[in-house]
Coordinates of all heavy atoms in Angstrom, one line a residue:
M83 N -6.6 3.8 -7.2 CA -5.8 3.3 -8.2 C -4.7 2.5 -7.7 O -3.7 3.0 -7.1 CB -5.3 4.4 -9.1 CG -6.4 5.4 -9.7 SD -5.7 6.5 -10.9 CE -4.7 7.5 -9.8
N84 N -4.7 1.2 -8.0 CA -3.7 0.3 -7.5 C -2.9 -0.3 -8.7 O -3.4 -0.3 -9.8 CB -4.2 -0.9 -6.7 CG -5.0 -0.4 -5.4 OD1 -4.5 0.6 -4.8 ND2 -6.0 -1.0 -5.0
S85 N -1.7 -0.9 -8.4 CA -0.9 -1.6 -9.5 C -0.8 -0.6 -10.7 O -0.9 -1.1 -11.8 CB -1.6 -2.9 -9.8 OG -1.7 -3.7 -8.7
L86 N -0.4 0.6 -10.4 CA -0.4 1.6 -11.5 C 0.8 1.2 -12.5 O 1.8 0.7 -12.1 CB -0.1 2.9 -10.9 CG -1.3 3.6 -10.3 CD1 -1.0 4.8 -9.4 CD2 -2.3 4.1 -11.4
K87 N 0.4 1.5 -13.7 CA 1.3 1.3 -14.8 C 1.7 2.6 -15.5 O 0.9 3.6 -15.4 CB 0.6 0.4 -15.9 CG 0.2 -0.9 -15.3 CD -0.6 -1.7 -16.4 CE -1.1 -3.0 -15.9 NZ -1.9 -3.8 -16.9
P88 N 2.8 2.7 -16.2 CA 3.1 3.9 -17.0 C 2.0 4.3 -17.9 O 1.8 5.5 -18.1 CB 4.4 3.6 -17.7 CG 5.0 2.6 -16.9 CD 3.9 1.7 -16.3
E89 N 1.2 3.4 -18.5 CA 0.2 3.7 -19.3 C -1.0 4.4 -18.6 O -1.8 5.0 -19.4 CB -0.4 2.4 -20.0 CG 0.7 1.6 -20.7 CD 1.2 0.5 -19.8 OE1 2.2 0.7 -19.0 OE2 0.6 -0.6 -19.7
D90 N -1.0 4.4 -17.3 CA -2.0 5.1 -16.6 C -1.8 6.6 -16.4 O -2.6 7.4 -16.0 CB -2.2 4.6 -15.2 CG -2.7 3.1 -15.2 OD1 -3.6 2.8 -16.0 OD2 -2.2 2.3 -14.5
T91 N -0.6 7.1 -16.9 CA -0.2 8.5 -16.8 C -1.2 9.3 -17.6 O -1.6 9.0 -18.7 CB 1.3 8.6 -17.3 OG1 2.1 8.0 -16.5 CG2 1.6 10.1 -17.4
G92 N -1.6 10.4 -17.0 CA -2.4 11.4 -17.7 C -3.1 12.3 -16.6 O -2.8 12.2 -15.5
V93 N -3.8 13.2 -17.2 CA -4.6 14.1 -16.3 C -6.0 13.4 -16.1 O -6.7 13.1 -17.0 CB -4.8 15.5 -16.9 CG1 -5.7 16.4 -16.0 CG2 -3.5 16.2 -17.2
Y94 N -6.4 13.3 -14.8 CA -7.6 12.7 -14.5 C -8.6 13.7 -14.1 O -8.4 14.6 -13.3 CB -7.4 11.7 -13.3 CG -6.7 10.4 -13.7 CD1 -5.4 10.4 -14.2 CD2 -7.4 9.2 -13.7 CE1 -4.8 9.2 -14.5 CE2 -6.9 8.1 -14.1 CZ -5.5 8.1 -14.6 OH -5.0 6.9 -15.0
Y95 N -9.8 13.6 -14.7 CA -10.9 14.5 -14.6 C -12.1 14.0 -14.0 O -12.5 12.9 -14.4 CB -11.2 15.2 -15.9 CG -10.2 15.9 -16.7 CD1 -9.3 15.3 -17.5 CD2 -10.0 17.3 -16.4 CE1 -8.3 16.1 -18.2 CE2 -9.1 18.1 -17.0 CZ -8.2 17.4 -17.9 OH -7.2 18.1 -18.6
C96 N -12.7 14.7 -13.1 CA -14.1 14.3 -12.5 C -15.1 15.0 -13.4 O -14.9 16.1 -14.0 CB -14.1 14.9 -11.2 SG -15.6 14.6 -10.3
N97 N -16.2 14.2 -13.8 CA -17.2 14.7 -14.7 C -18.6 14.4 -14.0 O -18.8 13.3 -13.5 CB -17.0 14.1 -16.0 CG -18.2 14.1 -16.9 OD1 -19.1 13.2 -17.0 ND2 -18.4 15.3 -17.5
A98 N -19.5 15.4 -14.3 CA -20.9 15.1 -14.0 C -21.8 15.6 -15.1 O -21.5 16.6 -15.7 CB -21.3 15.9 -12.7
R99 N -22.7 14.8 -15.5 CA -23.7 15.1 -16.5 C -25.0 15.5 -15.8 O -25.7 14.6 -15.3 CB -23.9 14.0 -17.5 CG -22.6 13.8 -18.3 CD -22.7 13.0 -19.5 NE -21.5 12.9 -20.4 CZ -20.6 12.1 -20.2 NH1 -20.7 11.0 -19.4 NH2 -19.5 12.2 -21.0
I100 N -25.4 16.7 -15.9 CA -26.5 17.3 -15.1 C -27.5 17.8 -16.1 O -27.2 18.5 -17.0 CB -26.0 18.3 -14.1 CG1 -25.0 17.7 -13.2 CG2 -27.2 18.9 -13.4 CD1 -24.3 18.8 -12.3
S101 N -28.8 17.6 -15.8 CA -29.8 18.1 -16.6 C -30.4 19.3 -16.0 O -30.8 19.4 -14.8 CB -31.0 17.0 -16.7 OG -30.5 15.9 -17.5
W102 N -30.6 20.4 -16.9 CA -31.3 21.6 -16.5 C -32.3 21.9 -17.6 O -31.9 22.0 -18.8 CB -30.2 22.8 -16.4 CG -29.1 22.6 -15.5 CD1 -27.8 22.3 -15.9 CD2 -29.2 22.6 -14.1 NE1 -27.0 22.1 -14.8 CE2 -27.8 22.3 -13.6 CE3 -30.1 22.8 -13.1 CZ2 -27.4 22.3 -12.3 CZ3 -29.7 22.8 -11.8 CH2 -28.5 22.5 -11.4
N103 N -33.5 22.1 -17.2 CA -34.6 22.5 -18.2 C -34.6 21.5 -19.4 O -34.7 21.9 -20.5 CB -34.3 23.9 -18.7 CG -34.4 24.9 -17.6 OD1 -35.3 24.9 -16.8 ND2 -33.4 25.9 -17.7
N104 N -34.5 20.3 -19.1 CA -34.6 19.1 -20.0 C -33.4 19.1 -21.0 O -33.5 18.5 -22.0 CB -35.9 19.1 -20.8 CG -37.1 18.9 -19.9 OD1 -37.1 18.0 -19.1 ND2 -38.1 19.8 -20.0
R105 N -32.3 19.8 -20.7 CA -31.1 19.7 -21.4 C -30.0 19.1 -20.6 O -29.9 19.5 -19.4 CB -30.8 21.0 -22.0 CG -31.7 21.7 -23.0 CD -31.3 23.0 -23.5 NE -30.0 22.9 -24.2 CZ -29.4 24.0 -24.5 NH1 -29.8 25.2 -24.3 NH2 -28.2 23.8 -25.2
G106 N -29.1 18.4 -21.2 CA -28.0 17.8 -20.5 C -26.8 18.6 -20.7 O -26.5 19.1 -21.8
Y107 N -26.0 18.8 -19.6 CA -24.8 19.6 -19.6 C -23.6 18.8 -18.9 O -23.9 18.1 -17.9 CB -24.9 20.9 -18.8 CG -25.9 21.9 -19.4 CD1 -27.3 21.7 -19.1 CD2 -25.6 22.8 -20.3 CE1 -28.2 22.5 -19.6 CE2 -26.5 23.6 -20.8 CZ -27.9 23.5 -20.5 OH -28.8 24.4 -21.0
D108 N -22.4 18.9 -19.5 CA -21.2 18.2 -18.9 C -20.5 19.3 -18.1 O -20.2 20.4 -18.5 CB -20.4 17.8 -20.0 CG -20.6 16.3 -20.4 OD1 -20.8 15.5 -19.5 OD2 -20.5 16.0 -21.6
Y109 N -20.1 18.8 -16.9 CA -19.3 19.7 -16.0 C -18.0 19.0 -15.7 O -18.1 17.7 -15.5 CB -20.1 20.0 -14.7 CG -21.3 20.9 -15.0 CD1 -22.5 20.4 -15.2 CD2 -21.1 22.3 -14.9 CE1 -23.6 21.2 -15.5 CE2 -22.2 23.1 -15.1 CZ -23.5 22.6 -15.4 OH -24.5 23.4 -15.6
W110 N -16.9 19.7 -15.7 CA -15.6 19.1 -15.6 C -14.8 19.8 -14.4 O -14.9 21.0 -14.3 CB -14.8 19.1 -16.9 CG -15.4 18.5 -18.0 CD1 -16.3 19.0 -18.8 CD2 -15.3 17.1 -18.4 NE1 -16.7 18.0 -19.8 CE2 -16.1 16.9 -19.5 CE3 -14.5 16.1 -17.8 CZ2 -16.1 15.6 -20.1 CZ3 -14.6 14.8 -18.4 CH2 -15.3 14.7 -19.6
G111 N -14.0 19.0 -13.7 CA -13.1 19.6 -12.8 C -11.8 20.1 -13.6 O -11.8 19.9 -14.8
Q112 N -10.9 20.7 -12.9 CA -9.7 21.2 -13.6 C -8.7 20.1 -13.8 O -7.8 20.3 -14.6 CB -9.0 22.2 -12.6 CG -8.1 21.7 -11.5 CD -8.9 21.0 -10.4 OE1 -10.1 21.1 -10.3 NE2 -8.1 20.4 -9.5

Side-chain angles (χ1 to χ4, degrees):
M83 304 187 293
N84 298 324
S85 302
L86 282 162
K87 304 175 181 180
E89 308 95 271
D90 296 318
T91 294
V93 179
Y94 283 69
Y95 295 92
C96 183
N97 164 261
R99 294 195 172 92
I100 300 171
S101 296
W102 307 104
N103 300 316
N104 296 312
R105 296 180 62 189
Y107 298 86
D108 267 320
Y109 293 90
W110 299 91
Q112 83 288 351

